[in-house]
Amino acid sequence: MEKNVYKRLEDKATVVLSYHDIFNFSEKNALVLSVLKTTLENNLLERLREKESGVYSPSVNLSLVQILRPYSFSISFNCATNRVNDLIRATKE
């Protein structure tokens, strides 16, 4: 699902990509997702900030719920409006 909201106070966009699913909760799986979060955050910092020169500090958040077993990742960053599609494409790569 994609949702675009336009306010146009300045030439700045806030991008939030959210991914979620169910997983088999165990300490090992929770650790794997935690390592994935850290790795993803480091890779996005290198790609979006250093290579693309499009953002200052991308953020990756991980949420785990032990009882219902869902997890979600959200990736967010601010950028110029004319860079949104390029930076989303780079993030997905």
Side-chain angles (χ1 to χ4, degrees):
M1 178 177 82
E2 184 175 315
K3 181 83 170 178
N4 296 316
V5 179
Y6 300 95
K7 194 168 181 180
R8 293 286 182 190
L9 294 177
E10 57 185 282
D11 185 30
K12 181 175 110 177
T14 299
V15 176
V16 178
L17 305 172
S18 182
Y19 301 91
H20 56 88
D21 205 348
I22 302 295
F23 78 116
N24 293 322
F25 188 89
S26 69
E27 292 208 19
K28 179 183 176 185
N29 288 345
L31 180 61
V32 167
L33 285 175
S34 179
V35 169
L36 178 62
K37 175 215 177 276
T38 301
T39 303
L40 182 58
E41 197 164 48
N42 291 336
N43 288 347
L44 286 175
L45 184 62
E46 182 179 317
R47 174 74 187 265
L48 299 182
R49 182 176 177 178
E50 304 300 327
K51 185 175 180 185
E52 303 290 336
S53 298
V55 302
Y56 287 112
S57 55
S59 173
V60 178
N61 295 303
L62 170 64
S63 174
L64 301 172
V65 180
Q66 185 173 352
I67 298 171
L68 300 174
R69 301 182 322 207
Y71 75 90
S72 65
F73 275 104
S74 65
I75 301 166
S76 59
F77 54 86
N78 294 317
C79 63
T81 56
N82 64 337
R83 299 289 317 274
V84 169
N85 291 330
D86 292 337
L87 293 172
I88 288 174
R89 188 172 23 263
T91 299
K92 289 179 178 180
E93 286 176 3

